[in-house]
């Protein structure tokens, strides 16, 4: 390889690494600033010269946050809603994705196109009919009603992901099972389903995080304080005139952020394997 080509290749790689480092810094900045703010005393929070590392770190913000607002109960509500929504989205979406991936008919293609188009609908467009529907079902101000909304809202994304994973499974395996007399349900449960494990974990995790961080539906549908989720309770640290109690707010937001980070770290390998499996074309 000529020296000029080698130098150009090194410069390209160096530029790629610099761009990656800049992107990582961009992603890490809000979390690091949140972490710093959560441990700062009020005197440092009001300083005209903010610093990254607190000069006098304190846990008072965490004590104040848990004393003023029911963060534990709100966190439990968010955990129940997000876990149930993720489980149901994967349970319902897997057989639907199997049909969309294996059936190449016009209705299947139209359904797949509608799934993609539905992702463009804004929340405000559907909240009024959704509210009226849940009112008729007597599910306003209830966690089951909120879970139902989260499942419906997560299904398009779950289907879009799972269809790619199903298509990555060789059809020859299903044909061999069909020759042995297995039906579609048996093939999905015994042959295709086990191979979709990493993809199902990745899809469920994204559905979980989406429901865990969701704010708008929870704000509109839940009115009883004991049933509110964590993102809604965190807004209680904001005053009526837009003032914010920064210390407790940062402490509560940090506690709300850690569970999703822990879950991501715990299943990181399965997420990577599932995403790569969904990207393979046979």
């Amino acid at each position: 390889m000529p020296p000029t080509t080698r130098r150009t290749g090194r410069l390209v790689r160096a530029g790629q690494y610099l761009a990656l480092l800049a992107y990582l810094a961009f992603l890490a900045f809000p979390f690091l600033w949140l972490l710093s703010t959560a441990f700062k005393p009020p005197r440092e929070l009001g300083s005209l010269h903010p610093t990254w590392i607190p000069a006098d770190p304190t846990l008072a913000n965490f004590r104040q946050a848990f004393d003023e607002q029911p963060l534990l109960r709100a966190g439990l509500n968010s955990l129940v809603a997000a876990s149930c929504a993720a489980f149901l989205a994967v349970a319902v979406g897997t057989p639907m994705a199997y049909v969309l991936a294996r059936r190449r008919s016009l209705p299947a293609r139209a359904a797949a196109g509608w799934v993609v188009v539905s992702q463009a609908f804004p929340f405000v467009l559907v909240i009024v009919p959704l509210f009226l529907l849940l009112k008729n079902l007597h599910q306003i101000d209830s966690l089951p009603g909120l879970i139902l909304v989260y499942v419906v809202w997560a299904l398009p994304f779950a289907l879009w992901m799972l269809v790619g994973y199903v298509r990555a499974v060789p059809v020859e395996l299903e044909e061999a099972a069909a020759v042995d007399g297995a039906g579609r349900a048996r093939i999905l449960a015994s042959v295709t389903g086990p191979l979709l494990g990493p993809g199902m974990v990745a899809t469920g995790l994204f559905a979980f995080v989406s429901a865990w961080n969701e704010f708008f539906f929870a704000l509109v549908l839940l009115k009883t304080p004991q049933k509110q989720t964590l993102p809604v309770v965190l807004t209680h640290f904001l005053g009526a005139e837009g003032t914010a109690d920064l210390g407790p707010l940062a402490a509560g937001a940090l506690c709300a952020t850690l569970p999703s980070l822990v879950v991501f770290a715990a299943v990181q390998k399965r997420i990577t394997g599932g995403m790569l499996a969904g990207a393979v074309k046979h």
Side-chain angles (χ1 to χ4, degrees), residues 193-282:
L195 299 177
L196 295 178
M200 294 168 67
V201 171
T203 303
L205 182 57
F206 279 106
F208 175 89
V209 173
S210 176
W212 177 271
N213 295 327
E214 201 281 324
F215 171 76
F216 182 70
F217 287 134
L219 176 66
V220 175
L221 299 177
L222 300 178
K223 297 302 179 185
T224 303
Q226 290 77 13
K227 299 178 181 179
Q228 290 178 337
T229 57
L230 199 53
V232 177
V233 171
L234 288 177
T235 62
H236 298 169
F237 291 108
L238 301 176
E241 298 180 356
T243 59
D245 201 350
L246 289 180
L249 176 59
L254 181 62
C255 293
T257 305
L258 290 178
S260 58
L261 294 178
V262 171
V263 173
F264 261 110
V267 296
Q268 178 183 7
K269 291 184 179 179
R270 301 209 67 176
I271 293 175
T272 305
M275 294 181 69
L276 291 178
V280 176
K281 182 179 180 180
H282 291 271

Side-chain angles (χ1 to χ4, degrees), residues 137-192:
L137 296 175
H138 305 286
Q139 292 299 322
I140 295 295
D141 196 23
S142 70
L143 280 180
L146 184 66
I147 292 172
L148 178 62
V149 172
Y150 285 167
V151 171
V152 173
W153 200 257
L155 266 179
F157 182 75
L159 283 173
W160 180 73
M161 291 186 67
L162 288 170
V163 165
Y165 302 138
V166 174
R167 288 176 178 169
V169 177
V171 182
E172 292 77 10
L173 297 176
E174 300 177 5
E175 293 175 347
V179 170
D180 293 336
R184 286 290 182 181
R186 180 65 182 275
I187 291 174
L188 178 59
S190 303
V191 179
T192 309

Side-chain angles (χ1 to χ4, degrees), residues 1-59:
M1 185 179 296
T4 305
T5 304
R6 288 198 298 268
R7 286 195 298 269
T8 303
R10 286 195 294 267
L11 289 176
V12 170
R13 285 195 297 272
Q16 292 174 341
Y17 287 134
L18 287 176
L20 179 60
L21 288 175
Y23 182 64
L24 291 176
F26 172 77
L27 293 179
F29 173 79
F31 178 76
L32 294 177
W33 189 256
L34 180 68
L35 181 65
S36 174
T37 304
F39 289 95
K40 287 182 178 179
R43 178 177 54 82
E44 292 189 47
L45 290 174
S47 175
L48 297 178
H49 304 284
T51 57
W52 278 98
I53 302 176
D56 187 18
T58 178
L59 295 175

